Structure formats: C-alpha cells, structure tokens
Amino acid sequence: MTDLLSLDAVAAMDDATFVETFGDLFEHSPWVAERVARARPFASVTEMHDMMMGAVEAAEDDEKLSLLRAHPDLAGKAALAGELTHASTGEQASAGLDTLTPEEMERFTELNTAYSMRFGFPFIMAVKGADKARILAGFEGRLGNARTDEMQRALAEVGKIAWLRLLDRVAPAPTGKLTTHVLDTAAGRPANGLPVTLHRLDGERRTEVGRFVTNDDGRLDAPALQGADFTAGTYEWVFECGVYFARTGTETHAPPFLDRVPLRFGISNPEAHYHVPLLLSPWALSTYRGS
Amino acid sequence: MTDLLSLDAVAAMDDATFVETFGDLFEHSPWVAERVARARPFASVTEMHDMMMGAVEAAEDDEKLSLLRAHPDLAGKAALAGELTHASTGEQASAGLDTLTPEEMERFTELNTAYSMRFGFPFIMAVKGADKARILAGFEGRLGNARTDEMQRALAEVGKIAWLRLLDRVAPAPTGKLTTHVLDTAAGRPANGLPVTLHRLDGERRTEVGRFVTNDDGRLDAPALQGADFTAGTYEWVFECGVYFARTGTETHAPPFLDRVPLRFGISNPEAHYHVPLLLSPWALSTYRGS
Amino acid sequence: MTDLLSLDAVAAMDDATFVETFGDLFEHSPWVAERVARARPFASVTEMHDMMMGAVEAAEDDEKLSLLRAHPDLAGKAALAGELTHASTGEQASAGLDTLTPEEMERFTELNTAYSMRFGFPFIMAVKGADKARILAGFEGRLGNARTDEMQRALAEVGKIAWLRLLDRVAPAPTGKLTTHVLDTAAGRPANGLPVTLHRLDGERRTEVGRFVTNDDGRLDAPALQGADFTAGTYEWVFECGVYFARTGTETHAPPFLDRVPLRFGISNPEAHYHVPLLLSPWALSTYRGS
Amino acid sequence: MTDLLSLDAVAAMDDATFVETFGDLFEHSPWVAERVARARPFASVTEMHDMMMGAVEAAEDDEKLSLLRAHPDLAGKAALAGELTHASTGEQASAGLDTLTPEEMERFTELNTAYSMRFGFPFIMAVKGADKARILAGFEGRLGNARTDEMQRALAEVGKIAWLRLLDRVAPAPTGKLTTHVLDTAAGRPANGLPVTLHRLDGERRTEVGRFVTNDDGRLDAPALQGADFTAGTYEWVFECGVYFARTGTETHAPPFLDRVPLRFGISNPEAHYHVPLLLSPWALSTYRGS
C-alpha cells in the first residue's frame, strides 16, 4: 500500500492538483472532481464522497449516461486488450476476472451483451474483493430491472467504486471504531470473562489483530480497533463460548453445540462506528450491526 | 477408526461378552454394563446409553461415589505414570493434556487438589476435543458448587464420557440428519438460490462434505447429512449470502456486511435431527438448534 | 359483510358482468378489468390480482398517469363534498379521515398540495385500517422521492387498494393457513405443553378465535386458522410462557421477565401460508414470518 | 399502598424494632432478620435481601427445613380456616387461590399431599401476580425433582416471597431505570422517529405511563422510567413500527405484518437497569433483557 494523503493535504491542494489527483475516481469523468474542488475542506472521506455523489446526482441526465458509458465491460474486450484504466485493471483482477476459463468468458460476454442491449450502458458493479459467483448473481439480479431503477443502481455502483478508490488514496478521519458486546440470553445478563479474538481476512490470508476478554458488562474495555488501525475489509470475531459456558458452570453437550463461534463481517466505512454484538444462549445466537 | 459394531451384533452377544465389551464405558465400573445386559435389544445407541444412565441413577449413593472415585485426575499422577485406561489416555491427549508446560501442570495439580479436598472425588469432565482453556474454565465454574449439585454434575460428565466411548464402538441407528433453512427476514420470504457448503472440522483439518443450493422454500432438497454419514463432531455451514443478495438485486455495501457467512456448531448425538437454520437480513443474522 | 362471490362465479360471468362487477377496483378505471376479462378462470384471488397488476404495468405511461390522477385527495375537497366513490368513502373513514380537527385538515391540505405540485398526481396510500399518524408519516416518507420511483410506489399503493377491495368481494381459494412453532432456545428443544391463544383485533374490538397447546414438537396439531376461517386482518398470539417455564421447572424471577407474551401481526393475503413462530428463552424472544 | 420506609429509616432502627418490622419477611422465622440486624446499614433493598438470603444459606439444615415447614399449603386448610399470616392471605388472593372451584380445590389438595409426602415440606411458590395455570404448572415441574434440588428450589421461592414483601415496605435505592433502543435490522441503522408508549399492567388495568419518540440513535432521550417511578410489576412497550416504516418510505403490505407492536415484560428488581430493546425488520423482531 502506498502512503495515504491526509485530509489536510487534500484541503491544501490547489484546484488543478485536486482534479489531477482525484479526476479518475469516477471513470474517465474528471468533471466530478472539478465540481467539488471548491467545496473543500472536507472533514472526512465520507463527506468528500458525499459531495462527489451529490455532484453526480445534480448532473444532467446525459452526463450521467456518459459517466455510465465510460465504464469498461467486466472481463470484456478492453480488459483483454489491456486497455483498462490502472484502477479498473486491479479491481477486475481482485475478483478473478483476469483468469476466466473460456466457458466463463463466454458467459460474461453473453451477459454483457444482453445487459447493454437492454439498458444502453455497460454492467457496472463494485467488484473489488467479490468473486465470480457473486458477480454473475449480480447480473442475474439486475437484468430484469426497469431501466430507470437500473440507471440509479448503476450510479450507486459507480459511487461504491469511487469510494473504494478514495480509500486507497486518502487517510480516513480517525472517527471509526469496532466494538462488541456479548449477552447471555439464557441467563439474562452480560457474558463476562469470555475470550474473543479478532482476525482480518484478506483472501486466503488470515491475521489475528486482537485478543480480548469481555468485562463485567459483557463488553471489551476499549474498541477492538479504532482510528488508523480500523480499515475497510473483512473481519472475523471468534468467540470462545465453550470457555464461557464452562466458567459459568452451564452444562453443555459433548461437543457443545456452540463452542468456538466465528462471526464474519465486512467493514466498508472505516470512519463509522460498527457495533457487532453477540446474543448467545447454549443453543442459539444472533448478531447484527448495532450502534 | 476401527469397525463399529452394529446394534444387531450388540443384541446377539451373550451377557458375558456384552459386559466384557462395554464394561469399561464407565471407568473401572463394569457393574453398569452388567445391570443393563438383560435390557437388550436396544433400538438405538441413545437408548443403550439412557439405560446405562438409568442404572447409574438407580445405584446406591456409595456406588455412585465409587464410580466417581474410579476416575483419574486430569493431567494427574496416573497420567504421568502411564497408568490411565486406554480410553482415558486418548481422551486426555485429544485435549492437549499430555503436553502441558510445567506451569500448566502446576495449575492443574493445584486445581485437582482443591477440587478433591472440597468434594472428596476427582474433577471429571468429558474433555475429548476440548482445549486447556475450556477445561480450566470448567474447574473455575464448578469449584464453587454445593456438593450435592456437583456430584450430580460429575455423574453427568461421566455419562458424557461413556457416550463418547460408546460412539467409538457402536454404529448409531440411521435416524439422524442435518437440515437447514434460510429465511430472508428483510423480505419476509425464503431465501432461494443461496449456495451453501458444509464442512467437517477435526482440529485444524477442514473437509468439505457437501455443496448445496437452497430451493424455493429456502431449504435443501434433502438432508445435508443423514444416517451413517452423519457422525458426531464439529461442523460448519458456509452460506454465500453475498451471492444471494446480488441475485435478488439487494444493494449491499462494498464489501457487504454479510457476504460469506460461516456458522460453526457441534453435533453430539448422530441419531438425532439437527435443524440449524439461518435467519438473514443484509445487516443481521440468527441461528439456533431447531426441530 | 355481504356475501362473497366464489372464484367459480367469477369464472362463469360474461365479460360485461365481469367488468361491471370489478370495473371499480381500480378507481374510475374499468379498463383494467376489461383487459383481464378473457384471462379467466382465475385459480385464486392472488392470481386475479396479479393479472390486473400485469395489465397496469403493461399499460401506456399516460394511462398509468390517468389512473393515478383518478384518485381523490385523502381528506380532500371531494371527501368534504361527499363526492368520493363508495369504496373510497369507507376506506378514508376507516382511517379516521372523516373526523379530522381543523388543524389536521389544514395539515392534510398542505401536504396534498405539496405532493401534487411535486409529482403531478395526488398522494395515494392504501389507508384502510391505518391511522392518521401512519398516513402523515407516509407523506413524509415519500415526498422526497424521485418522480419515477414515486410513480412506481403510487402504482403499488393503487394495487394494494384494489387488493383490499377484491377481498371484500371474492372468497379466497382455501389455500391459506396460519401456523406457529415454539422453540426453547435456552434448552435447545421444542417448547411443548405451552398454552397459546389466538385473537383477532378489529380496532378496539378483540375476539378470541382459538385456544391451543403446543405438542411435543412445539407446534399446534393443526393450523390455527385455515381456509375460509383465515381472513386478512390483524391478529395476536398470546403465549403463556410463564406456564411453560413453571412446567419445565425453569426458575424465573417474580414476576417473570417473560410471562404472558403477546405477538401482534397483520395478515394481508389469506391465500398464503403464514408461519409465525416464537423463539423463546427466559430472557429473550424472536419472531418472524417464516415458511 | 402504605408509605414505604426509607433505607435511612431502616438503618436508624434499633435492633428490636428492625426484627419486629422485618421478622415476618420469612414466614414465622424472625431469626433471619435477627441475624442480619447488625449488618446494617444497607445500601439498597437488593443488599438487604442478599444479606438475608446469606443468613438462610448459612443456617443449619434443620433450620432451613423448619423455615420451609413454616409455610402454609397453597389453597390449603389454613387458608380455608383464615389462619394464614396477613402477607400470605394477600399473596394467595392475588393469584385467585381464594376463589377456587370445588374441582380446583380438590386438585390443589391432591398436589399438596403428593408434594409434601414426597419432600416432607409444603409446596412453596412466590405466587403474587401468578395465576392458577402457572401455579399448577409449577407443581408439575417440581414434583419430579430430586429432594436436594427441590429443597434448594423451595428456598429460592422463599427468597422471592421475602423479596416481594420487602418491596412492599422499603423504598428502593434510586438506581433503577428502564431504557430501550430500536434497530432497523433490514437497513442496518438505528430506527429514529419511531413513536413508543409505555404501559403499566395491573391485572386487567392498563395505564399509559409514558410517550416517547426514538432519537437519531434509536434511543429515548432519557430513561422511560427511573428512580422512584420505576417500580416492580408488568409493563408493555407499544412500538409504532408502521409509522416508522411509512416515514422511511419502506413499502409494507396492507395491513403491514408488523405495525403496532406490543412487547410485554416483567420487572422484578426496581433497583436494576433493564434495557429492553427492539431489533426490527418489516418481517421479524427480537427483544431481550440487555444491559
């Protein structure tokens, strides 16, 4: 990963530098950056992105359509010919689109054709970190949409692509954090003394990034991750529920129905608070994004 | 794994062979097998075990106490001296109790001493597949019990040890099965077309044992495992929720909060029906043992 | 309630009678009925409605707009002047729109004006059984929509109004039913022997329509309601959880956190299967529409 | 309700007054009060009760048995003869035990006899506010217990009776409160602007005790009840989910599956924090006692 720009550095750029730096967040469409350059300073990457999406929404219909049409097909001719933008090349590769079998290639070609004949613009999806199955499912889920709905959806995907590109360049404001809370729903009280580890998952790689024990309120004493340590990506809690049940004298089967419990989740906005708790009984569990 | 006896073979044994074969299910206590030999035939391993536990419950108090006292300390002198029964040796090793550090050994010795001074019998726990943290937590959870409660709890653990030994010797009746069901709680309908894999976990080893797609009712067309294929142990569903949301056109973040969702659970009785469903929205999930 | 037509009687009508009978399901727009008359027979009210909605979707844009514009304002001038269709009069009265205070009337007038200036058609909402707070919230929730989205949403509301009118005239196919299932998530087993009553709620009136006890699988022996007895409306289960916990010897506080537990829910399609279960521990509960 | 004593007043009593005042919390057993008189002052009613239960636990086995035997049968001869203590009379009446039919009376007599023959002490249950069905279920759930377990359970019920009597005499410390939180699990964010009312239920009587709207974090701006206003008893939240869904533009059926949602729960300890949240989607809900 290259060094990230600070929000201060973004604020200090002259307009031309700003547009040069961020003109490609929206594929071949520097006008988006141009229209928000004067709205600086931005308090957060979230705000910077919101402003840019506001500029897209406020644009004329033909500008929006041009923006959509500026995108390459997924696994299409431009990709084969090596003519993608630098960003697109990496994104498509991260989803395995650079190593399709001939059959898969044919399927993508068919779907790209069907989609662009129906809507008049290419299929756009924020594919970074996705896999082929999810992308193909995305085609299936959107091919039947009404055109106005699909245009809106495509613009939302453009926004997500820009968001992911932005996170590769600008350091988020240090407002984000990840917290948890374990409640014992059979006993009606916080689950204290429960060991928890947190892992970061990058494809097949798995890195432990924290090791905790819940306190008397069933919480960790501090956020598991916060500020610069809290980055977008895929994470997994592993809750040692078997240890907790043993410690509280709760009888379980052998092996216990719930023992070492993984909960996997994705973080898209590292400036936000993600509360990802566990409601636990010996025979049931729930989780959700809380606040 | 050695070949398992059939329930028919168990039924056909003469009494002496039955007692010889199953006399050690309960540590140094062949009287349990003796008292149920005439109750044969057993329709299931569950019934065989229930009968044996009935014999234990019906025994005199001093017989129960002798049964408890027939057990070795966990990681105790008998283990060090290689004097454990064959079954106990394997069980303690599976929990890593044969490779304790000196500090851990000292901790176990302290706890064993404290426990047997308090209760007059050794600490008993069905440790097969557990780890040190869970066993130490078990000590902590039970040392404070009242003696009558703890005696009952210790007998329950004896029963679980016998159950696990029994499953190593007799083939279960083919009544067990594992099923699932995925409901989309944001849309209020079954989640169809959702890819699911099932994995078996043996320590660090992970084996895929099935690959499915949910049908229109959100279920698999047949049990994921049943009969002889359904054995006790640790399993993990992996639900491809990201694919499902893409297919239904549900917009998610990048990455999605819930994408590839593992649910890990233990199966203790392979003759039973385990229904382990998923209640799913883009931002929340629940599971439980259902019926 | 007047007698309902059977689906057979609907099938047997000549086209003119069909259109005369159902021409007003869609406000002042008999063309919808005309276009589906030849699609008879209908296997269900659901199918009849689906066909009609298909005709609306397939209509020209100006026909759709005319359909929307054929609707009166909620609590508007037509209502004051007694010029609503018979169906609209009853629907608006059921939501209390015939007894607004002057201040409320003024608020509705303002919102109607703002809405129709923005979108070019009146605010349409299936208000039968709603109350003023929900209707006002509906204005708030939709005034900010994009016009194409809102037009689609307005047509969906037209569809719901037609659906409710249809249920007042044609007897549903006897395919619907209401079932439940109670799982004890602390014990990991079905909650058997739990008394349940079912109530129907009509405004302030509350009628007990069934009294049950869960069986060994935690279910009722038969659907709580099915066929002709299962009508659209608001229902409430009352689960006697305190009795269940007492019967299973589960200790609870005084009073128990969960004792007599009501779960209230609405049924919109009496031809469908509604499974409304309860996941229960002494300190937590969940419900959902299942299948 | 008579005036409650303050904890300060309890602290200021001389020992004899203290024993006179609280000697009957434990039926005909003033020794419990005697043994804790010197442990004053108590910081809370919870602490006072904990101390008393500690004295019971520390008592000799024959004292415990005498304590159990000092209790009257439920709906038994003493009740018929008007020989109950004042407190017992009120408690039994609150559960309807003073108006049994002859058949019910016979059933209670049978169960009382079976129970005391089995255990050697009368069936004890904290019946205040319970009904006959729950009490009969309690007999059923406990008659099969082992004697040592049942003795412990009976002492726990004695403790609950004493707790309820204590709350009738001493004002709790003002540490208790009731809070909630509504999360939209379909949208992954707090449910703001959702109207909630809180009701207190006394038998058939229902009193609205608060009216709130959730704030931007899905919470109420302050506890719904706290300090002296937060008393033990049965409460019901009513969440206006239909209004929330309308306001957020979420399409629902007609009627919505979840519209006006009641959640009923019991508060046993007015010195504690009860967090009773709602996890909500258009088709599912959960609640639990949180912290």
Side-chain angles (χ1 to χ4, degrees), chain C residues 62-90:
Chain C
D62 59 347
E63 287 177 311
K64 290 180 188 175
L65 197 56
S66 299
L67 170 55
L68 296 180
R69 288 182 176 155
H71 285 74
D73 278 349
L74 288 178
K77 266 178 268 172
L80 284 177
E83 291 164 359
L84 295 186
T85 60
H86 178 70
S88 281
T89 303

Side-chain angles (χ1 to χ4, degrees), chain B residues 148-149 152 185-188 281-284, chain D residues 148-149 152 185-188 281-284:
Chain B
T148 48
D149 289 348
Q152 229 171 308
T185 56
S281 87
W283 296 96
Chain D
T148 47
D149 289 349
Q152 230 172 308
T185 58
S281 87
W283 296 96

Side-chain angles (χ1 to χ4, degrees), chain A residues 148-149 152 185-188 281-284, chain C residues 148-149 152 185-188 281-284:
Chain A
T148 47
D149 290 347
Q152 230 171 310
T185 57
S281 88
W283 297 96
Chain C
T148 48
D149 290 348
Q152 231 171 308
T185 57
S281 87
W283 296 97

Side-chain angles (χ1 to χ4, degrees), chain B:
Chain B
M1 191 186 293
T2 56
D3 277 355
L4 297 175
L5 290 164
S6 69
L7 285 160
D8 282 347
V10 173
M13 289 173 175
D14 59 45
D15 284 5
T17 310
F18 177 80
V19 173
E20 195 181 338
T21 309
F22 297 111
D24 63 343
L25 290 182
F26 290 77
E27 195 84 356
H28 299 302
S29 304
W31 56 267
V32 182
E34 281 160 17
R35 292 181 197 176
V36 304
R38 293 294 168 89
R40 288 176 296 155
F42 303 122
S44 63
V45 174
T46 304
E47 192 194 45
M48 181 170 170
H49 184 260
D50 284 351
M51 289 281 180
M52 289 179 151
M53 289 307 287
V56 169
E57 261 174 66
E60 299 297 323
D61 278 356
D62 60 347
E63 288 177 311
K64 290 180 188 174
L65 196 56
S66 299
L67 170 55
L68 296 180
R69 289 182 175 154
H71 285 75
D73 278 349
L74 289 178
K77 268 178 268 175
L80 284 177
E83 292 165 358
L84 296 186
T85 59
H86 178 71
S88 282
T89 304
E91 289 153 6
Q92 298 208 12
S94 83
L97 298 185
D98 55 345
T99 58
L100 296 179
T101 64
E103 291 73 26
E104 289 170 339
M105 180 63 77
E106 193 176 352
R107 181 84 185 116
F108 270 90
T109 304
E110 274 170 27
L111 287 166
N112 277 322
T113 306
Y115 184 96
S116 45
M117 282 186 61
R118 176 163 164 80
F119 296 117
F121 50 84
F123 179 74
I124 303 170
M125 183 173 168
V127 298
K128 193 181 164 187
D131 57 16
K132 291 169 222 170
R134 183 140 68 87
I135 297 168
L136 289 170
F139 265 113
E140 193 182 338
R142 290 164 52 189
L143 256 169
N145 277 352
R147 189 171 182 275
T148 48
D149 289 348
E150 183 53 21
M151 194 158 163
Q152 229 171 308
R153 175 62 187 273
L155 290 169
E157 295 294 320
V158 167
K160 282 187 247 177
I161 294 170
W163 171 255
L164 291 167
R165 291 177 180 178
L166 197 44
L167 289 180
D168 273 346
R169 308 202 195 159
V170 182
T175 48
K177 60 181 173 177
L178 173 65
T179 58
T180 192
H181 187 193
V182 190
L183 270 165
D184 180 332
T185 56
R189 61 174 179 236
N192 65 330
L194 191 153
V196 190
T197 51
L198 179 67
H199 304 261
R200 192 180 156 92
L201 276 61
D202 294 290
E204 294 299 297
R205 220 175 73 215
R206 182 184 182 85
T207 316
E208 184 178 306
V209 294
R211 190 169 275 258
F212 314 93
V213 177
T214 57
N215 61 23
D216 282 355
D217 192 33
R219 302 178 195 268
L220 314 185
D221 287 331
L225 287 175
Q226 60 184 318
D229 294 334
F230 187 44
T231 54
T234 302
Y235 291 88
E236 192 173 283
W237 294 120
V238 178
F239 294 96
E240 297 289 344
C241 303
V243 170
Y244 167 73
F245 290 128
R247 210 180 52 69
T248 53
T250 308
E251 205 184 329
T252 53
H253 287 204
F257 182 66
L258 298 175
D259 182 3
R260 180 165 290 152
V261 168
L263 284 187
R264 195 175 299 174
F265 55 94
I267 296 298
S268 56
N269 186 346
E271 291 178 331
H273 178 194
Y274 284 72
H275 183 62
V276 184
L278 177 65
L279 304 180
L280 177 72
S281 87
W283 296 96
L285 66 82
S286 300
T287 191
Y288 52 90
R289 178 178 180 186
S291 73

